[in-house]
Coordinates of all heavy atoms in Angstrom, one line a residue:
M775 N 79.2 88.4 129.3 CA 80.0 88.9 130.4 C 79.3 88.6 131.7 O 78.1 88.5 131.8 CB 80.2 90.4 130.2 CG 81.2 90.7 129.1 SD 82.0 92.3 129.5 CE 81.5 93.2 128.1
T776 N 80.1 88.5 132.7 CA 79.6 88.4 134.1 C 79.7 89.7 134.8 O 80.1 90.7 134.2 CB 80.4 87.3 134.9 OG1 81.8 87.7 135.0 CG2 80.4 86.0 134.2
G777 N 79.3 89.7 136.1 CA 79.2 91.0 136.8 C 80.6 91.5 137.1 O 81.6 90.8 136.9
P778 N 80.7 92.7 137.6 CA 82.0 93.4 137.8 C 82.7 92.7 139.0 O 82.1 92.3 139.9 CB 81.6 94.8 138.2 CG 80.2 94.9 138.2 CD 79.6 93.6 137.8
V779 N 84.0 92.6 138.8 CA 84.9 92.0 139.8 C 86.0 93.1 140.0 O 86.8 93.3 139.1 CB 85.5 90.7 139.4 CG1 86.5 90.2 140.4 CG2 84.4 89.6 139.1
G780 N 86.0 93.6 141.2 CA 87.0 94.6 141.5 C 86.9 95.9 140.6 O 87.9 96.5 140.2
G781 N 85.7 96.2 140.1 CA 85.5 97.3 139.3 C 85.6 97.0 137.8 O 85.4 97.9 137.0
F782 N 86.0 95.8 137.4 CA 86.2 95.4 136.0 C 85.1 94.4 135.6 O 84.8 93.5 136.4 CB 87.6 94.8 135.8 CG 88.7 95.8 136.1 CD1 89.3 95.8 137.3 CD2 89.0 96.7 135.1 CE1 90.3 96.7 137.6 CE2 90.1 97.6 135.4 CZ 90.7 97.6 136.6
E783 N 84.7 94.5 134.4 CA 83.8 93.4 133.9 C 84.6 92.2 133.5 O 85.7 92.3 132.9 CB 83.0 93.9 132.6 CG 82.0 95.0 132.9 CD 80.8 94.5 133.6 OE1 80.4 93.3 133.3 OE2 80.2 95.2 134.4
D784 N 84.2 91.0 133.9 CA 84.9 89.8 133.6 C 84.2 89.1 132.5 O 83.0 89.2 132.3 CB 85.0 88.9 134.8 CG 86.2 88.0 134.8 OD1 87.0 88.1 133.9 OD2 86.3 87.1 135.7
L785 N 84.9 88.3 131.7 CA 84.3 87.5 130.6 C 83.8 86.2 131.1 O 84.4 85.6 132.0 CB 85.3 87.3 129.5 CG 85.9 88.6 128.8 CD1 87.0 88.3 127.9 CD2 84.8 89.4 128.1
S786 N 82.8 85.7 130.4 CA 82.3 84.4 130.8 C 83.2 83.3 130.3 O 84.0 83.5 129.4 CB 80.9 84.2 130.2 OG 81.0 84.0 128.8
A787 N 83.1 82.1 130.8 CA 84.0 81.0 130.4 C 83.7 80.7 128.9 O 84.7 80.3 128.2 CB 83.7 79.8 131.3
D788 N 82.5 80.8 128.5 CA 82.2 80.5 127.0 C 82.9 81.5 126.1 O 83.4 81.1 125.1 CB 80.7 80.6 126.8 CG 80.0 79.4 127.4 OD1 80.6 78.3 127.7 OD2 78.7 79.5 127.6
V789 N 82.9 82.8 126.5 CA 83.5 83.8 125.6 C 85.0 83.5 125.6 O 85.7 83.6 124.6 CB 83.2 85.2 126.2 CG1 84.0 86.3 125.5 CG2 81.7 85.5 126.0
L790 N 85.6 83.2 126.8 CA 87.0 83.0 126.8 C 87.4 81.7 126.0 O 88.4 81.7 125.3 CB 87.5 82.8 128.3 CG 87.5 84.1 129.1 CD1 87.7 83.7 130.6 CD2 88.5 85.0 128.6
A791 N 86.6 80.7 126.1 CA 86.8 79.5 125.3 C 86.8 79.8 123.8 O 87.6 79.3 123.0 CB 85.9 78.4 125.7
D792 N 85.8 80.6 123.4 CA 85.7 80.9 121.9 C 86.9 81.7 121.5 O 87.5 81.5 120.4 CB 84.4 81.7 121.7 CG 83.2 80.9 121.8 OD1 83.3 79.6 121.8 OD2 82.1 81.5 121.9
A793 N 87.3 82.7 122.3 CA 88.5 83.5 122.0 C 89.8 82.6 121.9 O 90.6 82.8 121.0 CB 88.7 84.6 123.0
A794 N 89.9 81.7 122.8 CA 91.1 80.8 122.8 C 91.1 80.0 121.6 O 92.2 79.8 121.0 CB 91.1 79.9 124.1
A795 N 90.0 79.5 121.1 CA 89.9 78.7 119.9 C 90.3 79.6 118.7 O 91.0 79.1 117.8 CB 88.5 78.1 119.7
A796 N 89.8 80.8 118.6 CA 90.1 81.7 117.5 C 91.6 82.0 117.5 O 92.3 81.9 116.5 CB 89.3 83.0 117.6
F797 N 92.2 82.3 118.7 CA 93.6 82.6 118.7 C 94.4 81.4 118.4 O 95.5 81.5 117.9 CB 94.0 83.2 120.1 CG 93.6 84.6 120.2 CD1 92.7 85.0 121.2 CD2 94.2 85.6 119.4 CE1 92.4 86.4 121.3 CE2 93.9 86.9 119.5 CZ 92.9 87.3 120.5
G798 N 93.9 80.2 118.8 CA 94.6 78.9 118.5 C 94.8 78.7 117.0 O 95.8 78.2 116.6
L799 N 93.8 79.1 116.2 CA 93.9 79.0 114.8 C 95.0 79.9 114.3 O 95.7 79.6 113.3 CB 92.6 79.5 114.1 CG 91.5 78.4 114.1 CD1 90.2 79.0 113.6 CD2 91.9 77.2 113.2
L800 N 95.3 81.0 114.9 CA 96.3 82.0 114.5 C 97.7 81.6 115.0 O 98.7 82.3 114.7 CB 95.9 83.4 114.8 CG 94.7 83.9 114.1 CD1 94.4 85.3 114.6 CD2 94.8 83.9 112.6
A801 N 97.8 80.6 115.8 CA 99.1 80.1 116.3 C 99.9 79.5 115.2 O 101.1 79.4 115.4 CB 98.9 79.1 117.5
S802 N 99.3 79.2 114.1 CA 100.0 78.7 113.0 C 100.6 79.9 112.2 O 99.9 80.8 111.8 CB 99.0 77.9 112.0 OG 99.6 77.8 110.7
S803 N 101.9 79.9 112.0 CA 102.5 81.0 111.3 C 102.0 81.1 109.9 O 101.9 82.2 109.4 CB 104.0 80.9 111.3 OG 104.5 79.7 110.7
A804 N 101.7 80.0 109.3 CA 101.1 80.0 107.9 C 99.8 80.7 107.9 O 99.5 81.6 107.0 CB 101.0 78.6 107.3
R805 N 98.9 80.4 108.9 CA 97.6 81.1 108.9 C 97.7 82.5 109.3 O 97.0 83.4 108.7 CB 96.7 80.4 109.9 CG 96.2 79.0 109.4 CD 95.1 78.5 110.2 NE 95.0 77.0 110.0 CZ 95.3 76.1 110.9 NH1 95.5 76.4 112.1 NH2 95.2 74.8 110.5
L806 N 98.6 82.9 110.1 CA 98.9 84.2 110.5 C 99.4 85.0 109.3 O 98.9 86.2 109.0 CB 99.9 84.3 111.6 CG 100.0 85.7 112.3 CD1 98.7 86.2 112.9 CD2 101.0 85.5 113.5
H807 N 100.2 84.4 108.5 CA 100.7 85.1 107.3 C 99.6 85.3 106.3 O 99.5 86.4 105.7 CB 101.8 84.2 106.7 CG 102.6 85.0 105.6 ND1 103.7 84.4 105.0 CD2 102.6 86.2 105.1 CE1 104.2 85.2 104.1 NE2 103.5 86.4 104.2
I808 N 98.7 84.3 106.2 CA 97.6 84.4 105.3 C 96.7 85.6 105.7 O 96.2 86.4 104.9 CB 96.8 83.1 105.2 CG1 97.6 82.0 104.4 CG2 95.4 83.3 104.6 CD1 97.1 80.6 104.5
M809 N 96.4 85.6 107.0 CA 95.5 86.7 107.5 C 96.2 88.1 107.3 O 95.5 89.0 107.0 CB 95.2 86.5 109.0 CG 94.4 85.3 109.3 SD 92.7 85.4 108.5 CE 92.1 86.8 109.4
W810 N 97.5 88.2 107.5 CA 98.2 89.4 107.3 C 98.1 89.8 105.8 O 97.7 91.0 105.5 CB 99.6 89.3 107.7 CG 100.4 90.6 107.3 CD1 101.3 90.7 106.3 CD2 100.3 91.8 108.0 NE1 101.7 92.0 106.3 CE2 101.1 92.7 107.3 CE3 99.6 92.3 109.1 CZ2 101.3 94.0 107.7 CZ3 99.8 93.6 109.5 CH2 100.6 94.5 108.8
A811 N 98.3 88.9 104.9 CA 98.2 89.2 103.5 C 96.8 89.6 103.1 O 96.6 90.6 102.4 CB 98.6 87.9 102.7
L812 N 95.8 89.0 103.6 CA 94.4 89.3 103.3 C 94.0 90.7 103.9 O 93.2 91.4 103.4 CB 93.4 88.2 103.8 CG 93.5 86.9 103.0 CD1 92.6 85.9 103.6 CD2 93.1 87.2 101.6
S813 N 94.7 91.0 105.0 CA 94.4 92.4 105.6 C 94.9 93.5 104.7 O 94.4 94.6 104.8 CB 95.0 92.5 107.0 OG 96.4 92.7 107.0
Q814 N 95.8 93.2 103.8 CA 96.3 94.2 102.9 C 95.5 94.3 101.7 O 95.7 95.2 100.9 CB 97.8 93.8 102.5 CG 98.7 93.5 103.6 CD 98.9 94.7 104.5 OE1 99.2 95.8 104.1 NE2 98.6 94.6 105.8
G815 N 94.5 93.4 101.5 CA 93.6 93.5 100.3 C 93.2 92.1 99.8 O 94.0 91.1 100.1
E816 N 92.1 92.0 99.2 CA 91.6 90.8 98.7 C 92.4 90.3 97.5 O 93.0 91.0 96.8 CB 90.2 90.9 98.2 CG 89.2 91.2 99.3 CD 87.7 91.3 98.8 OE1 87.5 90.8 97.6 OE2 86.9 91.8 99.5
C817 N 92.5 88.9 97.4 CA 93.1 88.3 96.2 C 92.6 86.9 96.2 O 92.1 86.3 97.1 CB 94.6 88.4 96.3 SG 95.4 87.6 97.7
D818 N 92.8 86.3 95.0 CA 92.3 84.9 94.9 C 93.3 84.0 95.5 O 94.4 84.4 95.9 CB 92.0 84.5 93.4 CG 93.3 84.6 92.5 OD1 94.3 84.1 92.9 OD2 93.2 85.2 91.4
V819 N 92.9 82.7 95.7 CA 93.7 81.8 96.4 C 95.1 81.5 95.7 O 96.1 81.3 96.4 CB 93.0 80.5 96.7 CG1 92.7 79.7 95.4 CG2 93.7 79.6 97.7
T820 N 95.1 81.5 94.4 CA 96.4 81.3 93.7 C 97.4 82.4 94.0 O 98.5 82.2 94.3 CB 96.1 81.2 92.2 OG1 95.2 80.2 91.9 CG2 97.4 81.0 91.4
R821 N 96.9 83.7 93.9 CA 97.7 84.8 94.2 C 98.1 84.8 95.7 O 99.3 85.1 96.0 CB 97.0 86.1 93.8 CG 97.7 87.4 94.2 CD 98.9 87.6 93.3 NE 99.6 88.9 93.7 CZ 100.8 88.9 94.2 NH1 101.5 87.8 94.3 NH2 101.4 90.0 94.6
L822 N 97.2 84.4 96.5 CA 97.5 84.4 98.0 C 98.6 83.3 98.3 O 99.5 83.6 99.0 CB 96.2 84.0 98.7 CG 96.3 84.0 100.3 CD1 96.7 85.4 100.8 CD2 95.0 83.6 100.9
A823 N 98.5 82.2 97.6 CA 99.6 81.2 97.8 C 100.9 81.7 97.4 O 101.9 81.4 98.0 CB 99.2 79.9 97.0
E824 N 100.9 82.4 96.2 CA 102.2 83.0 95.8 C 102.7 84.0 96.8 O 103.9 84.0 97.1 CB 102.0 83.7 94.4 CG 101.7 82.8 93.3 CD 101.3 83.5 92.0 OE1 101.2 84.7 92.0 OE2 101.0 82.8 91.0
R825 N 101.8 84.9 97.3 CA 102.3 85.9 98.3 C 102.8 85.3 99.5 O 103.8 85.9 100.1 CB 101.1 86.8 98.7 CG 100.7 87.8 97.6 CD 99.7 88.7 98.0 NE 100.2 89.6 99.1 CZ 99.5 90.4 99.8 NH1 98.2 90.5 99.6 NH2 100.0 91.1 100.8
V826 N 102.3 84.2 100.1 CA 102.7 83.7 101.3 C 103.7 82.6 101.1 O 104.3 82.0 102.1 CB 101.5 83.2 102.2 CG1 100.6 84.4 102.5 CG2 100.8 82.0 101.6
G827 N 104.0 82.2 99.9 CA 105.0 81.2 99.6 C 104.5 79.8 100.0 O 105.3 78.9 100.4
G828 N 103.2 79.5 99.9 CA 102.7 78.2 100.3 C 102.2 77.5 99.1 O 101.9 78.1 98.0
A829 N 102.0 76.2 99.2 CA 101.4 75.4 98.1 C 99.9 75.7 98.1 O 99.3 75.9 99.1 CB 101.7 73.9 98.4
L830 N 99.4 75.7 96.9 CA 98.0 76.0 96.7 C 97.1 75.1 97.5 O 96.2 75.7 98.2 CB 97.6 75.9 95.2 CG 96.2 76.3 94.8 CD1 95.9 77.8 95.2 CD2 96.0 76.1 93.3
P831 N 97.2 73.8 97.6 CA 96.3 73.0 98.4 C 96.4 73.3 99.9 O 95.4 73.3 100.6 CB 96.8 71.5 98.1 CG 97.5 71.6 96.8 CD 98.1 73.0 96.8
A832 N 97.6 73.6 100.4 CA 97.8 73.9 101.8 C 97.1 75.2 102.1 O 96.4 75.3 103.1 CB 99.3 74.0 102.1
V833 N 97.3 76.2 101.3 CA 96.7 77.5 101.5 C 95.2 77.4 101.5 O 94.5 77.9 102.3 CB 97.2 78.6 100.5 CG1 96.4 79.9 100.6 CG2 98.7 78.9 100.8
S834 N 94.7 76.6 100.6 CA 93.2 76.4 100.5 C 92.7 75.7 101.7 O 91.6 76.1 102.2 CB 92.9 75.5 99.2 OG 91.6 75.3 99.1
Q835 N 93.4 74.8 102.3 CA 93.0 74.1 103.5 C 93.0 75.1 104.7 O 92.1 75.1 105.5 CB 93.9 72.9 103.8 CG 93.6 71.7 102.9 CD 94.6 70.5 103.2 OE1 95.4 70.6 104.1 NE2 94.4 69.5 102.4
H836 N 94.1 75.9 104.8 CA 94.1 76.9 105.8 C 92.9 77.9 105.7 O 92.3 78.2 106.7 CB 95.4 77.7 105.8 CG 96.6 76.9 106.2 ND1 96.7 76.4 107.5 CD2 97.8 76.7 105.6 CE1 97.9 75.8 107.6 NE2 98.6 76.0 106.5
L837 N 92.6 78.3 104.5 CA 91.5 79.2 104.3 C 90.2 78.5 104.8 O 89.3 79.2 105.4 CB 91.4 79.6 102.9 CG 92.4 80.6 102.4 CD1 92.3 80.8 100.9 CD2 92.2 82.0 103.1
A838 N 90.0 77.3 104.5 CA 88.8 76.5 104.8 C 88.7 76.5 106.4 O 87.6 76.7 106.9 CB 88.8 75.1 104.3
K839 N 89.8 76.2 107.1 CA 89.7 76.2 108.5 C 89.4 77.6 109.1 O 88.6 77.7 110.1 CB 91.0 75.7 109.1 CG 91.2 74.2 108.9 CD 92.5 73.7 109.5 CE 92.7 72.2 109.2 NZ 93.8 71.6 109.9
L840 N 90.0 78.6 108.5 CA 89.7 79.9 109.0 C 88.2 80.3 108.7 O 87.6 81.0 109.6 CB 90.6 80.9 108.3 CG 92.1 80.9 108.8 CD1 93.0 81.6 107.8 CD2 92.2 81.4 110.2
K841 N 87.7 79.9 107.6 CA 86.3 80.2 107.3 C 85.4 79.5 108.3 O 84.4 80.1 108.7 CB 86.0 79.8 105.8 CG 84.6 80.1 105.4 CD 84.4 79.7 104.0 CE 82.9 80.1 103.6 NZ 82.6 79.6 102.2
L842 N 85.7 78.3 108.6 CA 84.8 77.6 109.5 C 84.8 78.2 110.9 O 83.8 78.2 111.6 CB 85.2 76.1 109.7 CG 84.9 75.2 108.5 CD1 85.5 73.8 108.7 CD2 83.4 75.1 108.3
A843 N 85.9 78.9 111.3 CA 86.0 79.5 112.6 C 85.2 80.8 112.5 O 84.8 81.4 113.5 CB 87.4 79.8 112.9

């Protein structure tokens, strides 16, 4: 964080860039659905694909991208 501006703490450019990248990953409705499903409880990738209505390879790739982030 940087110093206060108008009485508020402002975020650094690096923190904002990191947050934008993380939110960008969730701009995909499929990834957002996966995250929502996982927030309800753990499950294996096969069950997760069934829950979100996605193909197993696609869900696996989405999970890999989310893990890297």
Side-chain angles (χ1 to χ4, degrees):
M775 286 208 240
T776 61
V779 176
F782 298 97
E783 291 288 326
D784 206 7
L785 299 174
S786 71
D788 288 341
V789 170
L790 290 170
D792 289 345
F797 283 116
L799 281 171
L800 295 178
S802 160
S803 61
R805 287 191 200 116
L806 193 55
H807 195 178
I808 289 167
M809 292 299 295
W810 175 256
L812 290 174
S813 75
Q814 305 302 304
E816 291 183 16
C817 60
D818 63 46
V819 69
T820 302
R821 175 73 179 115
L822 185 59
E824 291 171 359
R825 285 188 64 190
V826 301
L830 184 61
V833 170
S834 183
Q835 287 178 3
H836 286 302
L837 287 171
K839 288 182 181 185
L840 289 166
K841 183 179 178 182
L842 286 174

